[in-house]
Amino acid sequence: MDLKQKMLAEFIGTLWLVLGGCGSAVLAAAFPEVGIGLVGVSFAFGLTVLTMAYAIGHVSGCHLNPAVSFGLWAGGRFEAKELLPYIIAQVSGAIVGAGILFLIASGQEGFSLASGFASNGFGEHSPGGYDITAVIICEIVITMFFLLIILGATDERAPQGFAPIAIGLGLTLIHLISIPVSNTSVNPARSTGPAIFVGDWAVSQLWLFWVAPIVGAIAAGIIYRSFTPKAQ
């Protein structure tokens, strides 16, 4: 696949992740009487990655996430020259996905971006009121484990064909743990899409949801290199 095809795949896949994952939070989580709640949102994020991994994994690798791209690079699985194009495609897809979600959500009377629009935050903007230190630690650690799952599941020594399931369920578990802490990022593109529409605090706190996931991802890539057999 050439780079343009890979970028298109990353754009579409990240759009789907934001529309499906953030859409479940904005449109369905608290729907009266039959809302899907935090468990449903967690599965929605996992399912977006699982479905796209099967749909476009053979095209672009289905990163859908700048942190994943950095982690795969640090783990020796991805070329540095493709980092910036992938990130541009991912962030663009996330913004378009958030835009589509905004058009849908704003069709309901009384809709307001003041509710957060599934943005990530700390302090008073953390769902559970967690401070900046707690959110930084959480985002670094859970992103590190997410990348370890990805690197392990896609290793040529691992059982073949099951990686999307492990990765999708891994992302589900991550959301089950951390939605109350930060609304779960582990993905700078996913954080950027909604934040662009909310503006104000969501944009001012966005730096954390770029820095922490990338730090965690790079740490995972370095750690996973120690599992690679040394050449004889």
Side-chain angles (χ1 to χ4, degrees), residues 20-21 24-25 28-29 35-47 172 175-176 179:
S24 70
I36 62 174
L38 298 187
V39 173
V41 173
S42 299
F43 272 101
F45 272 100
L47 289 171
T172 298
H175 279 79
L176 288 171
I179 286 178

Side-chain angles (χ1 to χ4, degrees), residues 167-202:
I167 295 167
L169 289 176
L171 189 61
T172 298
L173 174 59
I174 282 167
H175 279 79
L176 288 171
I177 296 167
S178 61
I179 286 178
V181 180
S182 62
N183 226 11
T184 310
S185 172
V186 307
N187 183 340
R190 168 263 183 270
S191 298
T192 300
I196 293 296
F197 288 85
V198 174
D200 192 25
W201 65 266

Side-chain angles (χ1 to χ4, degrees), residues 42-84:
S42 299
F43 272 101
F45 272 100
L47 289 171
T48 61
V49 171
L50 189 156
T51 51
M52 276 295 119
Y54 281 116
I56 65 168
H58 55 285
V59 179
S60 68
C62 192
H63 298 190
L64 317 186
N65 180 341
V68 170
S69 298
F70 270 103
L72 293 175
W73 164 74
R77 302 272 195 87
F78 188 63
E79 295 185 65
K81 67 181 182 181
E82 293 191 346
L83 269 173
L84 183 58

Side-chain angles (χ1 to χ4, degrees), residues 197-229:
F197 288 85
V198 174
D200 192 25
W201 65 266
V203 171
S204 67
Q205 294 190 355
L206 185 59
W207 65 270
L208 189 154
F209 302 102
W210 274 85
V211 174
I214 290 174
V215 168
I218 291 175
I222 294 170
I223 291 168
Y224 199 80
R225 280 180 179 266
S226 68
F227 300 150
T228 302

